[in-house]
Amino acid sequence: MLPSNNIQSIVGATLFGTDDDKIGRIAQVLVDATDGHPTWAVVHVGTLARHSTFVPLTDATWENDDVSVPFSKDQVKHAPRIDSDGGLDPTQEQELVRYYSTGSATDTAGADPGAAPDASAGRHEESR
C-alpha cells in the first residue's frame, strides 16, 4: 500500500508495471475523500501520441521513490481514456475497475456489476 501521509512524494514518481516495464511518470494522484488514501494515479503514457490514463493504486507498492503496479505497460496504455481534469465520477470509476479487473473495457465476464470499486468508492479528491 502506498503512503497516505505524503501524497506529494508520489506525484512525479516513475510508475512501473509487471516485468519492471517503465509505464510513465505520475502526474496526479486521486485520494479517497473519506480517509485520504491514494486510490488512482494519472499517468502520461505513449511516446509520440502521449495521453493520460488512470491506473488503480489499490495493489501498488512504493520502493526507492518508484511506484509499481500489477498491470502490464500495454494494459495501462490501452485503458479507457477519461479526461483527467476533474477527477472520476462513479460511472467512470466503474468502467476503469471493470477494465483493470478483466483486462478489457468491453469484456465484463466475471465482473460483478453490483460490486463497489475496491475501497475507493465515492467522491475523489485530486492531489497535484
Side-chain angles (χ1 to χ4, degrees):
M1 183 160 206
L2 296 178
S4 58
N5 58 343
N6 191 2
I7 300 294
Q8 293 305 320
S9 64
I10 299 169
V11 175
T14 301
L15 184 73
F16 288 90
T18 55
D19 299 325
D20 291 325
D21 283 340
K22 181 180 176 182
I23 296 173
R25 291 246 180 238
I26 297 176
Q28 297 173 17
V29 174
L30 276 64
V31 299
D32 186 283
T34 56
D35 67 6
H37 75 275
T39 54
W40 295 92
V42 177
V43 180
H44 298 298
V45 296
T47 49
L48 297 177
R50 294 182 62 82
H51 69 277
S52 296
T53 189
F54 286 89
V55 181
L57 296 175
T58 305
D59 295 321
T61 58
W62 172 264
E63 187 176 334
N64 300 325
D65 294 330
D66 295 323
V67 177
S68 296
V69 291
F71 307 107
S72 71
K73 181 177 184 175
D74 201 47
Q75 186 177 9
V76 171
K77 188 173 155 183
H78 292 99
R81 291 190 184 188
I82 296 173
D83 184 19
S84 62
D85 289 340
L88 290 173
D89 67 36
T91 303
Q92 293 168 326
E93 186 172 23
Q94 281 292 81
E95 179 182 7
L96 288 166
V97 167
R98 266 193 307 278
Y99 172 79
Y100 281 106
S101 65
T102 63
S104 167
T106 56
D107 176 17
T108 57
D112 180 2
D118 302 300
S120 60
R123 204 181 110 237
H124 290 279
E125 296 175 356
E126 185 177 331
S127 175
R128 292 183 197 214

